[in-house]
């Protein structure tokens, strides 16, 4: 996916390895198509049929459609009472973004539902600790943030949770992308 440091990272990769082939996995439209199309890459992977068949080829890029999937031998309901994630009933893993217009209302409803003690709600992800996010979402949501989830722990967390929340930005929906 795209973050602000991707262009600089690609620059340094190419500088250190002149013959390297760089493929960008385009899982969303953030921050814009213009910035994604401006990346110094040789090809794209995407989980959108429209991006693969229409948009990337029309801009001269080679691309492949690669749908996301989960390894069901790893990602499956498998509560482990000894896990540090035992007891997490509902979880959201992801970065906060105002572009995910359904995210804040969904998290607010979940936090309100769990406030009565009916369930344990946890949020993991980047950016949540910044002041602008704390101000935007409020304390009723922020009290559920538990920090950045170690990448190797995602299967364990998802396997212990009863409900995994996911959000998709409108542009992702329009392009047929499913990312959670």
């Amino acid at each position: 996916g795209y973050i602000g440091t991707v262009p600089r990272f690609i620059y340094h990769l190419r500088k250190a390895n002149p013959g390297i082939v760089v493929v960008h996995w385009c899982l969303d439209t953030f921050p814009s198509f213009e910035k994604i199309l401006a990346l110094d890459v040789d090809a794209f992977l995407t989980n959108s049929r429209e991006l693969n068949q229409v948009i990337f080829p029309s801009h001269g890029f080679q691309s492949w459609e690669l749908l996301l999937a989960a390894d069901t031998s790893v990602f499956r309901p498998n509560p482990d009472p000894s896990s540090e994630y035992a007891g997490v009933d509902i979880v959201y893993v992801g970065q906060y973004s105002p572009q995910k217009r359904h995210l804040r209302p969904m998290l607010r409803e979940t936090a309100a539902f769990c406030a009565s003690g009916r369930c344990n709600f946890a949020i993991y992800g980047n950016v949540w600790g910044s002041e602008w996010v704390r101000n935007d979402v409020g304390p009723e949501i922020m009290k559920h943030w538990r920090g950045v989830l170690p990448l190797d722990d995602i299967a364990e967390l998802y396997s212990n949770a009863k409900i995994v929340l996911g959000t998709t930005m409108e542009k992702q929906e329009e392009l047929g992308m499913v990312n959670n």
Side-chain angles (χ1 to χ4, degrees), residues 69-89:
D71 180 345
T72 57
S73 69
V74 177
F75 288 91
R76 68 189 187 291
N78 188 28
D80 177 359
S82 66
S83 168
E84 74 176 280
Y85 306 110
V88 173
D89 298 306

Side-chain angles (χ1 to χ4, degrees), residues 10-145:
I10 293 170
Y11 168 80
H12 287 292
L13 274 178
R14 290 202 184 278
K15 187 175 177 183
N17 305 285
I20 194 169
V21 173
V22 179
V23 179
H24 178 75
W25 192 334
C26 182
L27 294 174
D28 59 36
T29 58
F30 178 82
S32 68
F33 275 134
E34 292 76 25
K35 288 205 182 227
I36 292 168
L37 293 171
L39 290 173
D40 181 17
V41 298
D42 300 295
F44 288 93
L45 294 175
T46 182
N47 64 345
S48 165
R49 183 164 285 130
E50 183 176 343
L51 283 178
N52 184 51
Q53 294 178 351
V54 179
I55 296 173
F56 289 141
S58 71
H59 287 84
F61 286 102
Q62 186 170 5
S63 63
W64 296 272
E65 183 178 5
L66 184 63
L67 301 178
L68 296 179
D71 180 345
T72 57
S73 69
V74 177
F75 288 91
R76 68 189 187 291
N78 188 28
D80 177 359
S82 66
S83 168
E84 74 176 280
Y85 306 110
V88 173
D89 298 306
I90 303 174
V91 66
Y92 174 76
V93 176
Q95 175 170 304
Y96 179 76
S97 169
Q99 295 169 326
K100 296 177 181 177
R101 69 180 176 95
H102 299 294
L103 179 59
R104 189 174 348 134
M106 177 183 66
L107 296 178
R108 188 162 280 127
E109 290 294 322
T110 304
F113 178 78
C114 293
S116 65
R118 289 187 271 189
C119 58
N120 185 2
F121 176 37
I123 298 170
Y124 292 90
N126 291 312
V127 183
W128 291 92
S130 65
E131 185 176 347
W132 73 270
V133 173
R134 289 192 307 270
N135 292 336
D136 199 36
V137 301
E140 70 275 6
I141 292 175
M142 285 306 302
K143 71 180 182 183
H144 298 283
W145 180 57

